[in-house]
Amino acid sequence: MSRSGNVFAVGIELDGEGYHPAAWRRAAHAPDTFLTGDALRTRVSAAENAGFTLATFDDSILAPLGHPAARIDAVTRASFVAATTSTIGLVATVATTYAEPFHTSSQLATLDYASRGRGGWIATTIADPAAAATWGRPARSTESELAREQRDSIEVARRLWDSWEDDAVVRDYAASRFLDRDKLHYIDFTGETFSVKGPAIVPRPPQGQLVVFADDTTESGAADVVLVAGRDLAQTLAAADRARATGALVFAELDVALDIPHATAAERIADLDRYATANPTERLTFSGSPTDLVRLLTELAHHVDGVRLHPAVIDEDLPALARQVLPALFRSGVIHRPVPGSTLRANLGLARPINRYAKDQH
């Protein structure tokens, strides 16, 4: 069990071929099929069948450093697999820097409808000046500028999701009355870099508000789930201790390379390193047997509410996780499968937020 008493959650990052820049060389499909719907569906279905609580989809307006492959935007990918999945949370990365929060909130609300309440948002920042040039915007590079835009974007999205009360849609066909306009609300937000009047163009999402994920540099209270990282276990747990003060759930970030039947994790990484060296990350890194990973995750379950796994090579590590790691965690009671028909919020133990604009809060 996690430190909060909720069921420990396990997520997996499914962007690209894996965290290693040469992962495509060990992929189970031809390079020219990487961007196809079948490849995406196959991986997400495998993760759902394995029992992962959620899958995340990284994204940026800039190409991943060291990766030759293109990508389709994260919200589109998550929405595409929404209809073919039923339990796994689908969490899309959308940067808050430069993006219009009105459009971001609408896209994410639509994802929540498509997935019947399983949508989530990783709200990131991007400091690279090339992103500003791509957007055609003045660069925001200082920590205060990035933090301000992230804070305001999350706040605007949450207000827009609340700008329709839950019963604003009437659907009285006999009276030709479909909307109660008194239950739509202006949000009247004015920040330092943008202002938004509202209301939204999409009714309130099934979850009320999507689950918002962010790293531990995000302003306290902005996120529902804080993602923490550290070069070793001690640093990771120290970051988790600090993040707990926000009142959010805490997830540890973990890079994973597993032993598989025909090669050890060390042999696999050495083979990949012949072509390209993985860029160092701040995340905790595990390389070894599935049994040892089970021990590590069991230990982490005493300190954090969940983990997000970043496989070295998705097509090799995901099957090993599905066959040897998650089943052991199910047997020990550390994790449980997501409940069919439940929302991502419910599967994470988060309450559905009360609408801030509703007159009747009860």
Side-chain angles (χ1 to χ4, degrees):
M1 301 294 286
S2 69
R3 55 100 189 163
S4 66
N6 294 324
V7 174
F8 187 64
V10 182
I12 185 168
E13 172 59 52
L14 293 180
D15 181 61
E17 302 285 13
Y19 78 73
H20 199 287
W24 63 275
R25 294 181 177 274
R26 298 184 67 98
H29 56 82
D32 63 351
T33 63
F34 167 62
L35 294 179
T36 63
D38 285 342
L40 177 61
R41 263 195 307 262
T42 297
R43 286 177 174 171
V44 177
S45 294
E48 179 171 67
N49 292 336
F52 281 94
T53 310
L54 57 95
T56 64
F57 306 89
D58 196 13
D59 203 359
S60 172
I61 198 167
L62 302 177
L65 186 62
H67 286 247
R71 55 154 66 109
I72 297 169
D73 77 89
V75 178
T76 298
R77 282 178 279 157
S79 299
F80 177 76
V81 295
T84 59
T85 55
S86 59
T87 61
I88 193 168
L90 302 171
V91 183
T93 298
V94 184
T96 57
T97 316
Y98 310 118
E100 294 286 350
F102 189 93
H103 300 318
T104 298
S105 71
S106 299
Q107 290 174 317
L108 291 166
T110 303
L111 167 62
D112 207 41
Y113 274 102
S115 63
R116 301 173 298 283
R118 291 177 287 119
W121 174 26
I122 300 179
T124 61
T125 61
I126 181 166
D128 193 324
T134 303
W135 279 100
R137 302 284 183 85
R140 312 209 207 295
S141 55
T142 68
E143 289 185 8
S144 62
E145 288 177 321
L146 295 170
R148 179 189 65 220
E149 194 146 300
Q150 183 184 51
R151 177 198 66 219
D152 289 354
S153 295
I154 294 173
E155 176 65 17
V156 165
R158 289 192 186 278
R159 291 191 192 189
L160 286 167
W161 292 331
D162 281 353
S163 66
W164 291 55
E165 294 184 38
D166 288 318
D167 54 352
V169 178
V170 177
R171 293 193 177 95
D172 185 347
Y173 297 97
S176 296
R177 185 169 176 263
F178 303 100
L179 191 66
D180 185 344
R181 65 181 182 181
D182 292 332
K183 295 190 175 184
L184 270 64
H185 303 276
Y186 295 114
I187 70 168
D188 291 324
F189 178 89
T190 301
E192 294 184 45
T193 57
F194 56 79
S195 61
V196 178
K197 183 116 181 127
I201 58 173
V202 180
R204 196 173 193 227
Q207 295 182 96
Q209 296 181 15
L210 280 78
V211 181
V212 178
F213 296 70
D215 66 28
D216 55 3
T217 64
T218 304
E219 184 173 301
S220 178
D224 299 298
V225 180
V226 175
L227 303 168
V228 299
R231 292 290 184 93
D232 56 32
L233 183 59
Q235 287 186 7
T236 301
L237 296 183
D241 287 338
R242 293 190 296 271
R244 248 177 238 127
T246 66
L249 299 181
V250 179
F251 275 39
E253 299 273 46
L254 180 61
D255 287 347
V256 172
L258 290 171
D259 297 342
I260 59 176
H262 303 296
T264 66
E267 290 169 341
R268 293 172 54 221
I269 296 299
D271 177 56
L272 294 169
D273 285 345
R274 292 188 299 119
Y275 304 101
T277 302
N279 300 306
T281 72
E282 295 298 320
R283 299 188 293 262
L284 178 64
T285 298
F286 173 87
S287 177
S289 71
T291 300
D292 287 339
L293 179 58
V294 170
R295 293 194 188 100
L296 174 59
L297 295 177
T298 302
E299 171 63 21
L300 284 169
H302 294 294
H303 302 279
V304 296
D305 301 290
V307 294
R308 179 168 64 145
L309 305 181
H310 298 256
V313 180
I314 294 172
D315 286 346
E316 291 183 328
D317 291 300
L318 177 52
L321 290 164
R323 294 169 186 161
Q324 297 173 273
V325 177
L326 268 66
L329 296 172
F330 288 137
R331 288 193 298 270
S332 65
V334 173
I335 63 173
H336 295 272
R337 287 183 176 274
V339 178
S342 293
T343 65
L344 177 56
R345 278 190 168 273
N347 282 319
L348 293 177
L350 295 169
R352 190 176 191 272
I354 294 172
N355 190 314
R356 73 190 71 196
Y357 299 113
K359 294 177 182 178
D360 181 5
Q361 297 291 326
H362 306 288

